[in-house]
Amino acid sequence: MGEPRLEDIEDYDTLKGGKKKIVYGVILVGLILGVIYTVAYNDNKNVDDSIKVEDSVKNIPLK
């Protein structure tokens, strides 16, 4: 049994039937998740009760 050739694949040039629905479904789910992430990220930017930390570490002791 040899490796499959591109000429032997039925839908090499076009997607048909179930494969087309799966590809469009994956793209749609990716877009929906991107929108949800963007909305959640932008919603958490405007926090009024955040604590400002101005202490910075100058030296890190080795031991």
Side-chain angles (χ1 to χ4, degrees):
M1 180 166 187
E3 297 205 16
R5 299 180 313 158
L6 293 177
E7 294 83 17
D8 297 336
I9 299 174
E10 295 174 8
D11 58 352
Y12 173 65
D13 289 328
T14 60
L15 289 175
K16 297 176 185 171
K19 289 183 182 179
K20 188 174 190 177
K21 290 180 184 177
I22 290 172
V23 169
Y24 285 141
V26 169
I27 292 171
L28 183 65
V29 168
L31 289 173
I32 290 172
L33 288 176
V35 168
I36 291 172
Y37 175 78
T38 303
V39 168
Y41 180 77
N42 287 333
D43 188 42
N44 288 332
K45 277 187 164 182
N46 301 327
V47 179
D48 295 334
D49 61 345
S50 63
I51 300 172
K52 223 175 188 182
V53 178
E54 296 182 11
D55 188 23
S56 64
V57 177
K58 302 289 183 198
N59 290 332
I60 300 176
L62 296 176
K63 285 191 176 187

